[in-house]
Amino acid sequence: YALGHNQNYLNAELDVKSAEYRNKEFIGIGLPQISASADLKDYLSIPTSLIPAEFFGGAPGTFIPVKFGTKFNASYGVSISQIVFNSDYIVGLDAAKELVLLSEKNLQRNKVETHAVITKAYYGSIISKERLQIIDANIERIKKLFDDTKALNATGFAEKLDVDRIELTYNNLLAEKEKLERIVGLAETLLKYQMGYDLQSPILLTDKINADLMIDMQTLEQEKINYELRPEYGILQSQRNINAIELRSKKGQYLPTLMAYGSFQNQAQRTQFDIFDIDQPWFRIGLIGATLNVPIFNGGSKHYRIQQSKLNLQKSTNSLTFLERSI
């Protein structure tokens, strides 16, 4: 019930889905990026250009202002780009996959922790109820002893001090029962809270404390420890993997990047607003190209970022070793 209603666990499930979507988002960055555009311009004032006057027989060093172009300009087209090589993207794919694994391990840890808190609250409630049953039996026994002793005192066969002593024990048990009843209520409330159960609704616990089900600790001590079964160990492993991927990413910044692109457009230039007149000409523009970026020198900042990543990787390795010793 708790795994379907405990908010922390439900949020951990949503984190897994979010990480999966983030992974797909990053994969999409490496796919062809295609976009379409349309543009319409109405030049209220056509831009002016200056050309040397000597071209038209004027004095050298002087310029003649002229206006090129038309009042109305329109264009539409499609552009496409594609990553050919980018080390950050290649390493980022590994990082995105590792983040999905990390979120799944966090979900498993949350499941284990939810089991633990529910188990503690459940058995805590059962223990409180059994204590209440024991104290009820004691109260019934002491009440009978008190009545019998009081009757003996009335006939002179028991001291008044004995009656007072038993009465005090009886009253203490009643006070203890009242305190236990409050503890039972609190224990049930805690269980409902951990489960995500309606606090106002009744709940019936059907199990009993069974000593035969208790774990034999000596048997456990003889078993070989499997660290992989501990969710927190897997989380630290994923964190170390992410730090290793980060180091690869920093080293990859020394590599060049290559991007290919293309653009195809149709363009119209009109003196009148007859853009949609099919008898008027449109002029085609097309190009393809590639951009290569080669890092040469950046003042040593990349080197120091790499050193920081190496230290982070060493720290995560140290944390794994410490956790092994702790387990």
Side-chain angles (χ1 to χ4, degrees):
Y1 182 91
L3 294 182
H5 297 81
N6 182 282
Q7 299 304 319
N8 289 332
Y9 184 78
L10 294 177
N11 284 340
E13 285 185 326
L14 295 177
D15 287 339
V16 172
K17 293 181 180 179
S18 177
E20 291 173 348
Y21 290 140
R22 189 160 54 246
N23 182 40
K24 293 177 180 178
E25 173 194 1
F26 200 82
I27 292 174
I29 295 175
L31 299 177
Q33 308 294 305
I34 303 174
S35 62
S37 63
D39 180 66
L40 175 64
K41 293 185 178 69
D42 178 0
Y43 285 101
L44 301 179
S45 178
I46 297 175
T48 300
S49 299
L50 297 177
I51 61 175
E54 58 186 307
F55 288 171
F56 302 96
T62 61
F63 296 89
I64 299 176
V66 295
K67 292 186 177 183
F68 292 104
T70 56
K71 178 175 175 59
F72 299 101
N73 287 266
S75 64
Y76 67 90
V78 176
S79 61
I80 180 172
S81 63
Q82 172 66 57
I83 296 174
V84 179
F85 178 79
N86 188 316
S87 62
D88 283 345
Y89 176 73
I90 296 173
V91 175
L93 286 176
D94 292 337
K97 293 177 183 177
E98 194 62 42
L99 285 174
V100 173
L101 293 176
L102 179 59
S103 64
E104 290 173 347
K105 291 176 180 179
N106 271 322
L107 176 64
Q108 182 61 28
R109 181 187 64 176
N110 200 288
K111 183 177 183 179
V112 171
E113 291 176 348
T114 301
H115 279 157
V117 296
I118 296 297
T119 300
K120 290 177 181 179
Y122 189 89
Y123 282 106
S125 183
I126 290 177
I127 289 172
S128 298
K129 287 187 174 183
E130 293 203 1
R131 289 178 60 193
L132 189 59
Q133 293 176 359
I134 292 173
I135 204 169
D136 280 337
N138 286 336
I139 288 175
E140 184 178 354
R141 180 177 58 83
I142 294 298
K143 180 65 169 63
K144 184 176 185 307
L145 179 61
F146 173 69
D147 292 338
D148 292 344
T149 305
K150 189 174 182 181
L152 290 173
N153 174 257
T155 58
F157 288 99
E159 298 289 339
K160 180 66 167 58
L161 182 61
D162 294 333
V163 176
D164 293 341
R165 185 184 300 114
I166 296 174
E167 184 178 13
L168 177 61
T169 302
Y170 176 71
N171 290 333
N172 287 340
L173 286 174
L174 291 178
E176 183 69 17
K177 177 182 179 181
E178 184 179 349
K179 182 174 71 174
L180 269 177
E181 287 174 342
R182 290 197 298 269
I183 292 176
V184 168
L186 288 173
E188 284 192 352
T189 299
L190 176 62
L191 175 60
K192 294 176 185 178
Y193 171 76
Q194 299 287 11
M195 291 173 60
Y197 193 79
D198 182 12
L199 298 182
Q200 306 303 323
S201 299
I203 187 169
L204 177 64
L205 310 185
T206 58
D207 287 332
K208 301 293 182 182
I209 298 296
N210 188 347
D212 294 336
L213 298 179
M214 298 302 174
I215 298 175
D216 184 354
M217 297 304 296
Q218 291 183 346
T219 301
L220 281 180
E221 291 173 358
Q222 295 172 1
E223 294 182 1
K224 184 178 180 179
I225 297 176
N226 185 358
Y227 300 110
E228 303 292 336
L229 296 178
R230 296 290 291 264
E232 64 270 35
Y233 188 82
I235 290 173
L236 272 183
Q237 280 185 318
S238 289
Q239 186 60 57
R240 184 177 63 175
N241 293 340
I242 290 174
N243 288 337
I245 292 172
E246 180 187 19
L247 178 59
R248 285 170 49 202
S249 174
K250 297 294 174 55
K251 290 180 177 179
Q253 291 178 0
Y254 285 107
L255 300 175
T257 61
L258 180 61
M259 175 77 72
Y261 59 87
S263 177
F264 304 92
Q265 289 185 338
N266 280 330
Q267 188 179 61
Q269 300 180 20
R270 306 280 193 269
T271 57
Q272 303 293 328
F273 190 74
D274 53 1
I275 299 297
F276 303 103
D277 187 351
I278 60 175
D279 294 328
Q280 298 296 324
W282 284 79
F283 305 99
R284 180 167 296 177
I285 302 173
L287 65 89
I288 58 172
T291 301
L292 177 67
N293 287 319
V294 181
I296 297 176
F297 180 71
N298 62 354
S301 60
K302 291 180 182 178
H303 169 74
Y304 294 114
R305 284 198 291 267
I306 289 174
Q307 300 311 309
Q308 293 176 61
S309 295
K310 286 182 178 179
L311 294 177
N312 288 334
L313 180 59
Q314 184 59 50
K315 285 172 61 179
S316 59
T317 301
N318 293 341
S319 297
L320 267 177
T321 302
F322 178 76
L323 181 59
E324 290 176 0
R325 293 174 180 174
S326 301
I327 293 175

